[in-house]
Amino acid sequence: MANKGPAYGMSRDVQAKIEKKYDDELEDRLVEWIVAQCGAAVGRPERGRLGFPVWLKNGIVLSRLVNSLYPDGSKPVKIPDSPPTMVFKQMEQIAQFLKAAEDYGVVKTDMFQTVDLFEAKDMAAVQRTLMALGSLAVTKNDGHYHGDPNWFMKKAQEHKREFTESQLKEGKNVIGLQMGSNKGASQAGMSYGRPRQIIS
């Protein structure tokens, strides 16, 4: 992690709220998936909240993860022979993972920022991105996902419907229920209280 001094006041409160969103059980599930997806060669992080960001920080594990979701001929992220040691190279590797994850289908609102991981500022956001990536991989069901499919929820999929011209014309004659109905309704016999009294 970068050398940071202690946080005080509102900064400390904000950081505490962010850290509460981090899920230790989810971390275990994500580690199991990454190892199942990439193989034992990626290793495992040390137990605890500090081990997970250190394991992912140089971007190599993340790059291998996203590459494993593609067929052999089309790997989106170039992985260097030796892990990058320079800070800007590590951040560049993380940025390449984020671009590849977005191309895979992860929406921008589920993406973490490079600094969230690199400085371990918001590891809950990193978990959210990995969950979205796993959910997409399970949903696509193209044979590249490895691991237990129950680890992630399937995303809702589009179900297109085709209507013939005659079906569309028929639909114009139907009054939808949201329009209301007046069948059997009248104001006959309705009275609203006593009639107005005029006293002279």
Side-chain angles (χ1 to χ4, degrees):
M1 305 311 134
N3 292 331
K4 297 182 287 194
Y8 297 101
M10 195 152 93
S11 297
R12 182 178 57 204
D13 294 343
V14 168
Q15 191 60 38
K17 282 184 181 177
I18 290 171
E19 287 174 8
K20 279 183 188 172
K21 292 180 183 177
Y22 188 81
D23 186 347
D24 294 314
E25 289 178 19
L26 179 57
E27 176 192 312
D28 294 339
R29 186 175 356 143
L30 290 171
V31 169
E32 290 302 320
W33 175 52
I34 292 170
V35 171
Q37 191 71 37
C38 303
V42 294
R44 287 182 177 274
E46 289 182 29
R47 297 287 297 161
R49 290 188 177 207
L50 294 177
F52 193 57
V54 168
W55 186 50
L56 301 176
K57 184 177 177 180
N58 66 10
I60 297 298
V61 173
L62 293 173
S63 299
R64 285 193 176 145
L65 174 64
V66 78
N67 279 352
S68 71
L69 298 172
Y70 284 87
D72 286 337
S74 61
K75 304 293 183 193
V77 180
K78 186 177 185 302
I79 300 175
D81 295 331
S82 60
T85 54
M86 296 167 66
V87 170
F88 78 93
K89 286 286 188 189
Q90 291 176 346
M91 292 180 94
E92 189 177 88
Q93 196 71 36
I94 294 169
Q96 286 182 34
F97 160 77
L98 291 171
K99 170 79 171 81
E102 188 176 346
D103 292 345
Y104 191 72
V106 178
V107 294
K108 279 196 181 292
T109 53
D110 286 336
M111 302 292 270
F112 67 87
Q113 300 294 312
T114 304
V115 73
D116 292 338
L117 170 59
F118 198 79
E119 294 182 5
K121 283 190 172 192
D122 190 357
M123 289 305 294
V126 175
Q127 287 183 328
R128 192 170 51 247
T129 302
L130 293 174
M131 282 298 292
L133 186 64
S135 292
L136 277 169
V138 168
T139 304
K140 286 187 178 185
N141 196 18
D142 56 5
H144 298 295
Y145 175 83
H146 304 294
D148 186 349
N150 297 322
W151 285 340
F152 303 102
M153 286 192 298
K154 279 189 168 185
K155 298 247 182 209
Q157 293 176 305
E158 182 180 39
H159 182 65
K160 276 199 168 188
R161 292 171 177 85
E162 298 291 329
F163 295 103
T164 64
E165 198 63 38
S166 64
Q167 286 174 318
L168 291 172
K169 283 181 184 174
E170 238 177 78
K172 289 180 181 176
N173 298 328
V174 176
I175 297 175
L177 289 177
Q178 68 266 31
M179 305 297 183
S181 169
N182 66 353
K183 289 184 180 171
S186 77
Q187 291 184 339
M190 294 183 73
S191 61
Y192 294 99
R194 293 177 47 189
R196 185 171 175 195
Q197 301 294 317
I198 302 174
I199 301 171
S200 45

